[in-house]
């Protein structure tokens, strides 16, 4: 009986570890080399969250107000949450002093489904980099308030068949370098999602749509001609003669 209990206990521990329960083995440290990577951030934005998408990655700067920790996470296509792989971690004090992950007061650990960042001060700005995928950017909203997302150069969000911007209460402007910047005055939703396209994608989409319209018109004309040809043949054959009509009284 004791052996069975011991085996059951080992199985339970194994399941907890496989499920990512950090309470069993403690928090998992984040890659220190990744956290110590160098990155130049734009600290001057007045938005609560300012995100610069450069292609395969993005740089995020968050306004910190009266917090000692900042938890971030990712969500996959199935809705499962997990720690967010971050790099180039930095913190800017209100007086403009910037420290990186080399500071013992600024570090990050993976705890269960979150990456928890310990902050060196309760107020300031926190910045990190993370990966982005293709022509789409999505992030969970770790703070409320004003958000701005600058998409890669040459990308557009003007046409909804090719683009998607959520939440919907936003406006777009152009930066000095010609990039499109999307700004929300007050984000209260759980996520910000932006799907964008290259200008040439719009031309390809328009060309494809035009081809489909032409094919549809040609098909409609073809069937119209077939119908008219059948009508012409019926007219040439004359009226139908019904020789099997029943006589009177039958």
């Amino acid at each position: 009986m004791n052996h069975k209990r011991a085996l059951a206990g080992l199985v339970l521990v194994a399941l907890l570890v496989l499920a990512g329960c950090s309470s069993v083995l403690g928090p998992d440290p984040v890659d220190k080399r990744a956290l110590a990577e160098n990155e130049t951030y734009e600290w001057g934005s007045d938005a609560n969250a300012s995100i610069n998408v450069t292609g395969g990655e993005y740089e995020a700067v968050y306004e910190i107000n009266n917090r000692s920790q900042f938890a971030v996470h990712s969500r996959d296509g199935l809705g499962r949450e997990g720690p967010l792989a971050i790099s180039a971690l930095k913190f800017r004090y209100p007086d403009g002093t910037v420290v990186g992950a080399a500071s013992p007061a600024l570090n990050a650990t993976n705890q269960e489904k979150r990456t928890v960042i310990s902050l060196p001060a309760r107020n300031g700005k926190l910045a990190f980099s993370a990966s982005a995928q293709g022509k789409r950017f999505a992030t969970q909203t770790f703070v409320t308030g004003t958000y701005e997302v600058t998409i890669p150069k040459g990308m557009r969000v003007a046409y909804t068949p090719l683009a998607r911007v959520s939440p919907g209460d936003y406006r777009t402007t152009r930066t000095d370098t010609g990039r499109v910047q999307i700004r929300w005055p007050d984000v209260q939703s759980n996520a910000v999602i932006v799907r964008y396209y290259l200008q040439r994608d719009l031309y390809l989409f328009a060309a494809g749509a035009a081809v489909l319209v032409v094919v549809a018109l040609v098909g409609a004309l073809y069937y119209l001609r077939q119908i008219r040809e059948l009508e012409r043949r019926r007219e040439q054959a004359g009226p139908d003669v019904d020789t099997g009509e029943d006589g009177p009284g039958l």
Side-chain angles (χ1 to χ4, degrees), residues 142-170:
F142 307 124
V143 298
T144 58
T146 307
Y147 269 69
E148 64 180 24
V149 174
T150 304
I151 61 178
K153 188 174 183 179
M155 298 296 179
R156 301 290 184 267
V157 294
Y159 293 96
T160 53
L162 297 177
R164 178 193 176 193
V165 180
S166 177
D169 182 21
Y170 67 91

Side-chain angles (χ1 to χ4, degrees), residues 67-88:
R67 301 171 68 166
S68 60
Q69 291 185 333
F70 192 81
V72 296
H73 64 279
S74 62
R75 179 172 292 177
D76 62 18
L78 299 176
R80 297 174 299 189
E81 295 182 354
L84 179 64
I86 62 174
S87 61

Side-chain angles (χ1 to χ4, degrees), residues 53-138:
V53 187
T54 58
E57 67 174 13
Y58 68 90
E59 303 148 7
V61 179
Y62 293 95
E63 185 76 33
I64 303 298
N65 293 306
N66 197 29
R67 301 171 68 166
S68 60
Q69 291 185 333
F70 192 81
V72 296
H73 64 279
S74 62
R75 179 172 292 177
D76 62 18
L78 299 176
R80 297 174 299 189
E81 295 182 354
L84 179 64
I86 62 174
S87 61
L89 184 63
K90 291 186 178 181
F91 185 87
R92 184 178 185 269
Y93 289 90
D95 64 2
T97 302
V98 177
V99 297
S103 170
L106 179 63
N107 59 76
T109 56
N110 291 332
Q111 301 180 17
E112 297 186 2
K113 299 179 181 180
R114 299 288 189 273
T115 298
V116 179
I117 303 170
S118 297
L119 306 173
R122 299 186 67 87
N123 295 284
K125 287 191 174 184
L126 176 70
F128 59 79
S129 297
S131 62
Q133 297 180 352
K135 298 176 183 177
R136 180 181 183 274
F137 168 76

Side-chain angles (χ1 to χ4, degrees), residues 223-237:
Y223 284 111
L224 181 61
R225 290 185 62 183
Q226 292 296 312
I227 292 172
R228 289 181 176 177
E229 180 65 19
L230 289 174
E231 290 176 347
R232 185 183 64 82
R233 291 180 180 178
R234 289 183 62 184
E235 291 175 356
Q236 291 179 348

Side-chain angles (χ1 to χ4, degrees), residues 1-30:
M1 183 64 69
N2 291 334
H3 291 293
K4 291 183 178 180
R5 290 180 178 178
L7 180 59
L10 289 174
V11 170
L12 178 60
V13 171
L15 289 175
L16 290 174
V17 172
L18 290 175
C21 182
S22 61
S23 61
V24 177
L25 300 178
D28 298 325
V30 180

